[in-house]
């Protein structure tokens, strides 16, 4: 499996990671190397095999419908790089 | 008398109980050791004041004849520990070894660390690690690599990696900076550094320890565990860390046995499986092969039956892991976007999108970015079935292999922990896949969610420690620890890191 | 299902183009906020409003290491809704992560259901204004997290993020592309809202955003069965806007096709001010949601007993109630469908029609009073049925007073107005104000004699065959008796005195 430059640009966009143009080509080579190595999975026969969903035979636990958290604005915004009046602030989003 | 920093947890408990020492004295000795070995870069955030406070509280309790009230009744009262910087600690910076979390101070405490404090343990500081636990050498840490306190015989100048991702924890325990440390293991991150640093490391069954408050790498694989100098210490520490947590949907509602109580019970009549696929035609060094054979002999001498088994899908485990872990990571790490906490990089006039891509480009290191991109690709439209879904199916087959072996009457499986001993800093970073091969023996256990224990057994010809791995049934850490203790007794591994001798 | 079904299509909604007639194909994705105390995966309050970031837990803010644990009531509500939609309930479903970046999506993914939703195929019956019914298929219902809120008007260069909504449980209810007119889409939304409110699973409040719709629209030449490229108009927040959006979007498609161009599949926004939709392209183009099962959660599983336990608590739903009203009270399908929209209104009607002593009143009369008179009053005053100044008991009594000839229909209108103003019981009003109908033959005869004596010429005309003038006489007599005379008696006696009766 070989990744081209454009594909790397696309996935870097999806992942919101800035990759300078000059690095796209070398990165494509590197990722292709890893994916090439992963190709060995194709040889494994997985017909009639269910994908693994959990390690142990467990069932999903449910919580009661009770309000146990909140009214804690200072705590949830304490680490915010930018904030005002209890809001998180980000560069203006143009819709 | 033995130096306080040379005590095991079990010995320190006895000394505290007997009044031979105090928690404050123990803590001060370890804080001094942390300072003296700053060059190891094992601890990236020291919490000396808090440590002394916790130690004083422990001594006060003991003086007053009181025990910690919690579930574990003060099992670790007064025991100083290092905490991997992946565990969120309330009021103490938690970085996950990443620039993107460099300014982050959690307003909450992880369940596992809270359990330890509930058992009376003392926090010395936060241990260095590979960024977001992605790495096998600790070199991906944004705070510089931790250093292995061991060096090759006759080559004290070449600094070696402590392994990873829990490299700081392993180095700290090996170098006597802490009596024990927490680690986390996703594909080998406890067991591989334990082997590299000559200590004991246990990855419990997935679901045994709560993941709540541990910075996530790969949710279906991440599991916290103890890193100690003896098997008994690992049993003591696991007992305090483990337990069902309703805040983690994948935490198992199973009771926590008293592991330390059964660890000395021996292994007479136990069946030990030796998987032939871990002895690849090429790759496994004759030296490690020989060490493995010695391990079998030790267990046989202790009364176990040794049988050959087959785990046919072993060879594709690593490739499976390198789809599943990056895929989950690509999603888990999306929350580091510079909006609510952590690093934010933004310039005048930047859009939200600019902020995202700049923050994440500056905040994540090379290996983390590489894995996010691989994971993003593996989940993207048109590739999901070929990569992620395929890998989850192969994972089922890998788990099935182990189940078949245990169904056939095998109680525990013995393998080498790593294909090689510790290597020099800066050596292997050029080719990611070569680095990934470090985890070839530990990854299958992780994919199957099984408990895996690394026990140091001997030094290699180069004078470096090497561990063997014991793998058990789900939630049968008990048997794994008993077998580990038998191995430990037989191996009588007493060598100390070279750096401590000079 | 007992409601009468009409298989002939509703009067077609046709767009007349230059090249011929076009029909519109509509499917709706409705996001309905689940009624619950806490959020879907955290213990923070799901209540609307609140100070910024006050209904936010560490999980909702996606702090490192935080994990989701599902709320039992949200699961029950989804299953309850599925049962209300006569849908297949999946005993095993899977939560998946939908990955994308947005300022008010803290995790960088939304926990949703993708391949295996909790509810599968079902049906909603539409009640059309002409009294006919139409079935619209439900494709699926799945649970997912709501996002937070971004505000863009507070600051010249910054957006403000409030996560109070983030993590609140939503049900996404996806219809099949079964609707063919804006009216049907409107009827579907109203019916869905009615069902959700009956079930108590969503308050259906579109203004507060607890119910909003994404509208899928495409067009095709009448008679064709192909499905052409559709566009999705996102986040429309009222029934009226949904209908308008369909109209303008369908017209836009026809124009494009007729110009020989192709409609591009895309997401659009409806601008009610300008009455047009506009493209959100660019934002959408690069999306690749990378769905995968959420590894923090196991599959959602429950057994038959769980489902049956919920089924046992279901209320009578609008369709069943409608059928019963038609059957038991002899209502027209249209009247019945109007009355059952709101459960409390239906209960009100039933209390009026049923009578407290078990004596059933005339259903059609009761329906008329409730729909035409009472609903009119409530509408004019902006009141809900719970705030009605006229109680069901009193409205029932009023109907009784007409039925037993205590008052005339005309007087009843006056009595009703007094009831609205004072809230008093009708019998008391009639008593106190002396509005009782005059049935005393002597009194009525006297009044007739007086009117006839004063208008001999008109009497002559009637007797000469101009019977139409009789109505005028009735009016005069009623005037003379302040409306209290029994009109039937007046009529009969007049005819007798005029010599128009055979008897």
């Amino acid at each position: 499996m070989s990744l081209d430059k454009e594909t790397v640009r696309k996935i870097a966009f999806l992942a919101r990671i800035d990759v300078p143009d000059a690095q796209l080509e070398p990165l494509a080579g590197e990722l292709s190397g890893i994916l090439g190595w992963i190709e060995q999975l194709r040889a494994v026969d997985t017909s009639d095999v269910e994908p693994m969903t959990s390690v142990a035979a467990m069932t999903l636990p449910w919580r009661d419908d009770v309000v146990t958290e909140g009214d804690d604005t200072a705590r949830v915004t304490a680490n915010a790089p930018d904030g005002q009046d209890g809001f998180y602030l980000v560069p203006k989003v143009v819709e | 008398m033995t130096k306080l920093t040379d005590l095991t947890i079990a010995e320190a408990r006895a000394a505290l109980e007997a009044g031979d020492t105090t928690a404050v004295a123990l803590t001060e000795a370890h804080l001094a050791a942390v300072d003296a070995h700053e060059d190891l870069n094992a601890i990236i955030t020291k919490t000396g004041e808090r440590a002394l406070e916790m130690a004083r509280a422990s001594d006060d309790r003991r003086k007053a004849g009181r025990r910690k009230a919690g579930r574990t009744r003060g099992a670790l009262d007064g025991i100083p520990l290092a905490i991997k910087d992946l565990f969120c600690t309330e009021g103490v910076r938690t970085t996950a070894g990443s620039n993107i979390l460099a300014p982050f101070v959690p307003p909450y405490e992880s369940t596992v660390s809270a359990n330890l404090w509930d058992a009376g343990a003392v926090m010395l500081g936060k241990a260095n690690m590979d960024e977001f636990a992605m790495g096998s050498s600790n070199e991906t840490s944004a705070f510089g690599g931790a250093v292995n306190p061991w060096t090759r015989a006759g080559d004290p100048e070449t600094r070696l990696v402590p392994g990873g991702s829990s490299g700081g924890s392993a180095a700290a325990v090996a170098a006597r900076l802490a009596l024990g440390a927490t680690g986390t293991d996703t594909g080998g991150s406890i067991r591989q550094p334990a082997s590299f640093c000559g200590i004991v490391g246990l990855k419990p069954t997935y679901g045994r320890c709560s993941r709540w408050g541990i910075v996530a790498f790969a949710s279906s694989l991440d599991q916290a565990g103890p890193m100690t100098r003896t098997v008994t210490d690992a049993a003591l520490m696991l007992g305090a860390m483990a337990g069902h947590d309703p805040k983690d949907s994948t935490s198992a509602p199973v009771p926590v046995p008293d592991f330390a109580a059964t660890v000395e019970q021996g292994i007479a009549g136990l069946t030990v499986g030796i998987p032939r696929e871990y002895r690849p035609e090429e790759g496994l060094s004759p030296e490690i092969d020989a060490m493995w054979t010695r391990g079998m002999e030790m267990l046989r001498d202790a009364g176990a039956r040794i049988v050959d088994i087959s785990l046919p899908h072993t060879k594709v485990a690593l490739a499976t892991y390198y789809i599943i872990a990056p895929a989950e990571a690509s999603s888990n790490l999306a929350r580091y976007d510079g909006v609510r906490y952590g690093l934010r990089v933004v310039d005048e006039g930047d859009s939200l999108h600019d902020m995202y891509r700049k923050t994440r480009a500056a905040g994540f290191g090379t290996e983390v970015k590489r894995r996010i991109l691989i994971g993003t690709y593996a989940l993207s439209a048109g590739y999901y079935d070929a990569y992620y879904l395929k890998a989850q199916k192969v994972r089922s087959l890998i788990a099935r292999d182990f189940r078949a072996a245990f169904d056939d009457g095998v109680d525990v499986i013995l393998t080498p922990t790593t294909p090689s001993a510790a290597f020099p800093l800066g050596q292997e970073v050029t080719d990611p896949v070569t680095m990934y091969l470090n985890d070839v023996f530990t990854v299958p256990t992780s994919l199957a969610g099984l408990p895996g224990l690394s026990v140091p057994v001997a030094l290699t010809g180069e004078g470096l420690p090497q561990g063997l791995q014991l793998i058990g049934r789900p939630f049968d850490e008990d048997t794994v620890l008993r077998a580990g203790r038998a191995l430990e007794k037989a191996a009588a591994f007493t060598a100390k890191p070279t750096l401590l001798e000079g | 299902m007992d409601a009468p079904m009409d298989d002939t299509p509703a009067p077609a909604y046709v767009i007349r183009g230059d090249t011929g007639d076009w029909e519109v194909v509509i499917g709706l994705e409705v996001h309905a906020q689940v009624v619950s105390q806490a959020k879907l995966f955290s213990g923070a309050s799901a209540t609307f409003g609140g100070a910024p970031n006050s209904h936010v837990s560490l999980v909702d803010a996606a702090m490192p290491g935080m994990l989701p644990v599902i709320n039992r009531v949200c699961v029950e509500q989804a299953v309850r809704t599925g049962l209300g939609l006569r849908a297949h309930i999946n005993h095993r479903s899977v939560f998946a992560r939908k990955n994308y970046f947005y300022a008010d999506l803290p995790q960088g993914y939304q926990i949703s259901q993708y391949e295996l939703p909790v509810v599968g195929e079902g049906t909603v019956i539409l009640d059309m204004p002409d009294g006919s019914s139409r079935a619209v298929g439900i494709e699926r219902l799945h649970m997912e997290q709501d996002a937070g809120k971004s505000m863009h008007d507070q600051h010249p260069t910054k957006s403000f993020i409030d996560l109070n909504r983030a993590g609140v449980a939503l049900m996404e209810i996806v219809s099949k592309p079964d609707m063919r007119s804006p009216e049907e889409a409107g009827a579907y939304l109203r019916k869905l809202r009615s069902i959700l409110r009956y079930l108590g699973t969503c308050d259906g409040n579109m203004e507060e955003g607890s119910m909003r719709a994404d509208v899928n629209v495409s067009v095709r030449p009448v008679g064709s069965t192909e499905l052409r490229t559709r566009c999705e108009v996102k986040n429309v927040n009222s029934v009226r806007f949904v209908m308008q959006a369909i109209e303008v979007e369908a017209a836009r498609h026809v124009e494009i096709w007729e110009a020989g161009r192709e409609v591009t599949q895309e997401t659009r926004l409806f601008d009610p001010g300008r009455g047009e939709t506009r493209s959100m392209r660019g934002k959408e183009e690069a999306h690749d949601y990378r769905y995968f099962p959420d590894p923090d959660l196991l599959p959602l599983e429950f057994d038959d007993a769980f489902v049956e336990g919920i089924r046992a608590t279901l209320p009578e739903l609008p369709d069943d109630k409608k059928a019963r009203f038609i059957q038991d009270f002899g209502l027209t399908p249209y009247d019945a469908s109007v009355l059952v929209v709101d459960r409390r209104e239906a209960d009100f009607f039933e209390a009026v029609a049923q009578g407290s002593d078990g004596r059933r009143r005339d259903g059609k009369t009761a329906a008329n009073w409730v729909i035409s008179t009472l609903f009119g009053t409530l509408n004019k005053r902006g009141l809900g049925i719970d705030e009605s100044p006229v109680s069901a008991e009193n409205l029932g009594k009023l109907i009784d007073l007409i039925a037993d000839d205590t008052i005339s229909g005309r007087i009843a209108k006056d009595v009703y107005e007094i009831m609205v103003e004072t809230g008093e019981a009708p019998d008391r009003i009639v008593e106190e104000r002396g509005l009782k109908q005059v049935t005393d033959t002597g009194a009525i005869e006297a009044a007739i004699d007086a009117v006839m004596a004063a208008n001999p010429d008109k009497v002559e005309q009637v007797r000469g065959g101009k019977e139409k003038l009789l109505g005028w006489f009735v009016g005069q007599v009623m005037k003379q008796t302040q409306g209290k005379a029994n009109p039937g008696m007046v009529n009969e006696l007049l005819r007798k005195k005029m010599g128009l009766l055979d008897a």
Side-chain angles (χ1 to χ4, degrees):
Chain A
M1 185 72 218
S2 166
L3 276 186
D4 60 16
K5 209 170 127 175
E6 278 319 301
T7 309
V8 176
R9 197 197 300 277
K10 195 192 114 197
I11 60 175
F13 172 80
L14 283 176
R16 300 298 188 273
I17 294 175
D18 193 20
V19 178
D21 265 6
Q23 277 177 32
L24 289 172
E25 201 72 65
L27 198 53
E30 204 175 279
L31 298 181
S32 297
I34 296 170
L35 289 166
W37 168 71
I38 285 166
E39 283 299 286
Q40 55 179 294
L41 289 185
R42 277 186 199 230
V44 184
D45 180 7
T46 51
S47 40
D48 305 326
V49 179
E50 285 294 311
M52 186 141 156
T53 46
S54 91
V55 167
M58 276 178 51
T59 50
L60 185 68
W62 298 1
R63 70 158 68 224
D64 290 335
D65 184 31
V66 179
V67 176
T68 53
E69 293 160 280
D71 286 328
D72 217 358
T73 310
R75 190 152 165 253
V76 295
T77 57
N79 279 278
D82 192 4
Q84 188 186 310
D85 305 332
F87 291 97
Y88 301 105
L89 264 57
V90 297
K92 197 177 190 84
V93 179
V94 187
E95 290 216 311
Chain B
M1 185 193 152
T2 322
K3 274 167 68 181
L4 290 174
T5 50
D6 275 335
L7 296 174
T8 65
I9 292 175
E11 290 164 353
R13 271 172 27 127
L16 287 166
E17 202 64 42
D20 293 342
T21 188
T22 63
V24 168
L26 263 179
T27 300
E28 281 173 342
H30 284 95
L31 289 172
V34 170
D35 286 339
H37 287 287
E38 243 171 7
D39 56 325
L40 293 179
N41 198 24
I43 305 295
I44 51 177
T45 302
K46 298 188 213 172
T47 54
E49 268 180 42
R50 179 178 295 215
L52 287 170
E53 236 171 75
M54 294 170 97
R56 273 193 293 272
S58 170
D59 286 336
D60 290 347
R61 273 196 299 274
R62 208 175 284 278
K63 246 181 271 167
R66 280 187 286 117
R67 272 180 180 276
K68 264 275 200 183
R71 174 176 60 83
T72 49
R73 312 270 306 140
L76 298 176
D77 216 340
I79 303 297
L81 303 173
I83 302 297
K84 186 180 184 179
D85 210 20
L86 203 62
F87 293 81
C88 289
T89 42
E90 187 166 359
V92 175
R93 184 179 79 140
T94 299
T95 69
S98 180
N99 272 324
I100 212 157
L101 279 178
F104 179 61
V105 179
Y108 52 94
E109 187 78 32
S110 82
T111 299
V112 164
S113 54
N115 286 348
L116 288 170
W117 314 145
D118 188 46
V122 169
M123 176 165 69
L124 294 166
K126 304 298 291 289
N128 202 352
M129 56 179 287
D130 279 302
E131 185 178 5
F132 283 103
M134 296 178 195
S136 307
S137 67
N138 211 128
E139 289 166 291
T140 70
S141 169
F143 303 90
V147 177
N148 195 324
W150 292 83
T151 55
R152 284 169 177 160
D155 181 11
E157 296 308 311
T158 305
R159 292 298 162 107
L160 306 177
V161 301
S165 69
S166 311
S169 296
V173 173
R176 274 67 176 164
L177 313 187
L179 288 179
T182 60
T184 63
D185 191 315
T186 304
S189 282
I190 286 176
R191 293 159 287 162
Q192 184 256 13
S195 180
F196 275 21
C197 292
I199 64 166
V200 172
L202 172 61
K203 181 201 92 76
T205 312
Y206 183 83
R208 176 63 93 180
C209 292
S210 168
R211 295 186 296 113
W212 194 88
I214 300 173
V215 177
F217 162 15
S219 309
S220 73
L221 296 159
D222 296 344
Q223 183 59 205
M227 302 179 79
T228 56
R229 289 197 290 273
T230 70
V231 173
T232 302
D233 285 2
L236 282 168
M237 222 178 129
L238 177 63
M241 294 167 73
H244 177 239
D245 181 4
K247 290 187 288 189
D248 173 1
S249 299
T250 62
S251 164
V254 294
V256 180
D258 186 350
F259 300 111
T262 51
V263 74
E264 295 287 355
Q265 282 178 358
I267 54 165
L270 219 64
T271 301
V272 179
I274 308 296
R276 68 176 67 101
E277 289 79 7
Y278 283 62
R279 198 182 300 237
E281 283 78 314
E282 49 208 291
L284 188 59
S285 75
E287 190 177 24
I288 289 177
D289 200 2
M291 217 174 271
W292 188 14
T293 306
R294 271 183 51 207
M296 297 174 209
E297 286 160 4
M298 292 178 203
L299 293 177
R300 186 184 295 128
D301 292 347
R305 196 167 66 94
I306 308 294
V307 297
D308 277 333
I309 61 166
S310 174
L311 303 170
H313 295 92
T314 299
K315 60 181 183 300
V316 286
L318 206 54
T320 304
Y321 174 85
Y322 274 97
I323 286 298
I324 293 169
E328 292 182 9
S330 71
S331 176
N332 282 336
L333 270 58
R335 64 187 56 197
Y336 306 106
D337 57 7
V339 174
R340 299 163 314 284
Y341 47 79
L343 182 74
R344 171 183 289 194
V345 179
V346 66
D347 296 305
E348 187 79 36
D350 273 355
S351 68
L352 177 67
H353 178 76
D354 295 332
M355 182 184 101
Y356 284 152
R357 62 191 183 87
K358 285 184 186 177
T359 298
R360 291 166 61 81
F364 293 136
T366 307
E367 182 62 24
V368 171
K369 285 184 210 171
R370 186 183 287 138
R371 296 205 198 179
I372 291 175
L373 293 176
I374 287 277
T376 303
Y377 182 70
L379 292 174
S380 64
Y383 299 100
Y384 175 84
D385 286 3
Y387 289 108
Y388 189 78
L389 191 63
K390 179 79 183 181
Q392 286 289 27
K393 287 179 177 176
V394 177
R395 188 177 179 185
S396 288
L397 292 174
I398 292 165
R400 196 185 285 178
D401 286 353
F402 279 104
R403 211 159 37 238
F406 291 123
D407 286 349
D408 272 358
V410 168
D411 296 303
V412 68
I413 294 167
L414 181 74
T415 76
T417 307
T418 55
S420 74
F423 46 85
L425 281 156
Q427 190 196 41
E428 291 194 59
V429 286
T430 44
D431 176 14
V433 173
T434 307
M435 185 63 95
Y436 298 167
L437 288 171
N438 269 292
D439 296 330
V440 67
F441 296 144
T442 47
V443 150
T445 327
S446 298
L447 290 170
L450 303 173
L453 172 73
S454 180
V455 180
V457 288
L459 297 182
T460 62
E462 288 178 313
L464 295 178
Q466 174 70 37
L468 290 179
Q469 175 180 225
L470 288 155
I471 302 161
R473 294 190 179 92
F475 301 105
D476 193 16
E477 287 85 357
D478 208 356
T479 304
V480 171
L481 286 162
R482 267 197 293 141
R485 175 67 187 124
L487 200 60
E488 180 182 54
K489 254 197 250 180
F493 181 86
T494 52
K496 281 171 91 176
T498 15
L499 283 190
L500 297 183
E501 287 163 359
Chain C
M1 164 59 221
D2 302 314
M5 289 286 295
D6 187 353
D7 282 331
T8 54
Y13 174 80
V14 171
I15 302 164
R16 303 206 188 282
D18 297 336
T19 61
D21 289 350
W22 299 74
E23 77 170 345
V24 59
V25 177
I26 306 155
L28 290 175
E29 294 171 20
V30 171
H31 295 262
Q33 189 197 315
V34 172
V35 171
S36 65
Q37 299 296 312
K39 295 183 178 180
L40 181 53
F41 293 111
S42 86
S45 169
T47 312
F48 182 80
N53 290 309
S54 61
H55 298 169
V56 177
S57 75
L58 298 168
V59 175
D60 307 319
M63 294 302 227
M66 292 300 99
L67 298 170
V69 181
I70 197 165
N71 181 330
R72 163 184 296 272
V73 164
C74 295
V75 177
E76 289 171 352
Q77 294 286 58
V79 171
R80 189 186 310 276
T81 306
L83 293 173
L85 299 175
R86 306 157 204 273
H88 180 76
I89 308 295
N90 292 320
H91 289 213
R92 182 177 186 275
S93 61
V94 171
F95 285 101
R97 293 184 182 177
K98 180 182 184 180
N99 294 282
Y100 65 99
F101 284 85
Y102 201 65
D104 52 26
L105 186 73
Q107 295 163 132
Y109 55 85
Q110 176 193 36
I111 306 179
S112 179
Q113 297 191 300
Y114 185 54
E115 280 182 334
L116 290 169
V118 64
V119 174
E121 294 190 333
T123 311
V124 168
I125 307 294
L126 307 190
D127 307 295
M128 302 309 292
D130 64 357
S132 67
S133 295
R134 262 179 59 65
V136 171
I138 296 292
E139 181 71 39
R140 59 185 279 162
L141 175 156
H142 68 252
M143 280 184 271
E144 63 184 27
Q145 298 176 300
D146 203 352
K149 209 168 124 194
S150 301
M151 276 153 281
H152 311 298
D153 315 323
Q154 330 275 327
H155 191 282
T157 62
K158 288 176 180 176
S159 290
F160 284 41
I161 311 298
D162 175 13
L163 300 181
N164 282 350
R165 311 294 312 139
V168 167
L170 300 179
M171 298 178 283
E172 180 171 330
I173 303 165
V174 183
S175 85
K176 300 199 172 190
D178 285 354
M179 287 159 274
R180 296 290 175 270
S181 68
E183 288 68 33
E184 285 183 7
Y188 171 81
L189 275 176
R190 281 191 298 266
K191 186 58 177 281
L192 188 61
R193 180 167 62 188
S194 167
I195 293 170
L196 295 175
R197 285 176 170 167
Y198 265 69
L199 294 166
T201 57
C202 171
D203 68 23
N205 191 332
M206 293 190 90
E207 295 75 50
E208 286 180 1
S210 49
M211 199 173 138
R212 42 191 200 260
D214 298 342
V215 191
N216 285 301
V217 179
S218 67
V219 298
R220 63 186 174 199
V222 167
S224 154
T225 54
E226 65 177 328
L227 282 177
R228 294 205 179 191
T229 314
R230 64 187 166 89
C231 288
E232 184 180 19
V233 186
K234 277 253 184 230
N235 252 330
V236 192
N237 63 2
S238 82
V239 176
R240 192 161 55 94
F241 290 163
V242 165
M243 294 169 67
Q244 286 174 5
I246 291 167
E247 247 172 76
V248 299
E249 184 61 12
R252 192 182 69 88
H253 285 215
V254 169
E255 206 178 297
I256 292 173
W257 291 120
E258 292 201 326
R261 289 179 288 126
E262 291 265 326
V263 169
T264 343
Q265 178 158 358
E266 62 179 358
T267 304
R268 300 180 67 86
L269 276 181
F270 177 60
D271 183 338
R274 296 173 168 215
E276 62 181 30
T277 66
R278 60 188 156 79
S279 177
M280 290 172 77
R281 202 173 19 198
K283 204 169 159 180
E284 284 295 299
E285 216 167 31
H287 270 176
D288 178 344
Y289 292 122
R290 289 159 285 138
Y291 284 99
F292 75 110
D294 191 328
D296 286 331
L297 296 162
L298 300 160
L300 173 64
E301 292 172 301
F302 43 75
D303 56 13
D304 261 333
F306 175 75
V307 178
E308 292 314 310
I310 293 169
R311 196 192 302 276
T313 66
L314 290 184
E316 181 185 37
L317 289 168
D319 291 336
D320 298 326
K321 208 181 270 293
K322 176 182 168 186
R324 187 166 60 81
F325 282 4
I326 293 169
Q327 175 83 35
D328 290 5
F329 297 109
L331 301 192
T332 64
Y334 176 77
D335 281 357
S337 69
V338 169
L339 286 169
V340 302
V341 166
D342 183 294
R343 187 169 161 182
R344 293 157 309 167
E345 290 175 359
D347 288 348
F348 190 99
F349 160 76
E350 213 170 341
V352 173
Q354 193 63 61
S356 53
D357 51 359
R359 193 169 48 101
R360 187 164 290 186
R361 301 188 174 105
D362 180 61
K364 279 184 180 163
T365 309
N368 261 333
W369 274 99
V370 172
I371 295 172
S372 314
T373 312
L374 182 74
F375 287 178
T377 305
L378 297 179
N379 252 337
K380 206 159 59 193
R381 301 183 168 223
L383 298 174
I385 190 76
D386 295 341
E387 304 157 301
S388 170
V390 177
S391 70
E393 192 194 346
N394 284 343
L395 190 54
K397 280 187 192 161
L398 181 64
I399 294 170
D400 290 344
L401 292 176
I402 305 165
D404 66 13
D405 281 337
T406 308
I407 54 174
S408 67
R410 219 203 93 187
I411 290 291
K413 298 271 181 211
D414 298 339
V415 174
Y416 173 80
E417 290 307 328
I418 297 165
M419 289 164 73
V420 169
E421 294 308 326
T422 64
E424 278 176 33
D427 39 1
R428 205 172 138 197
I429 294 170
V430 168
E431 194 63 42
E432 282 182 356
R433 305 193 185 212
L435 299 174
K436 219 166 183 172
Q437 189 156 250
V438 178
T439 48
D440 169 3
T441 318
I444 294 173
E445 271 181 321
I448 291 173
D449 290 345
V451 173
M452 285 174 73
N455 298 284
D457 47 337
K458 290 202 169 69
V459 173
E460 275 318 302
Q461 287 177 13
V462 173
R463 286 182 173 149
K466 207 172 176 188
E467 284 198 29
K468 270 189 195 161
L469 261 177
L470 210 55
W472 180 86
F473 276 98
V474 174
Q476 290 302 306
V477 175
M478 291 308 282
K479 208 170 172 182
Q480 194 91 37
T481 59
Q482 289 104 42
K484 286 182 285 184
N486 180 313
M489 289 176 71
V490 172
N491 215 339
E492 198 185 312
L493 288 170
L494 253 176
R495 284 176 164 273
K496 201 193 261 172
K497 286 192 185 280
M498 294 285 188
L500 297 174
L501 281 183
D502 302 336

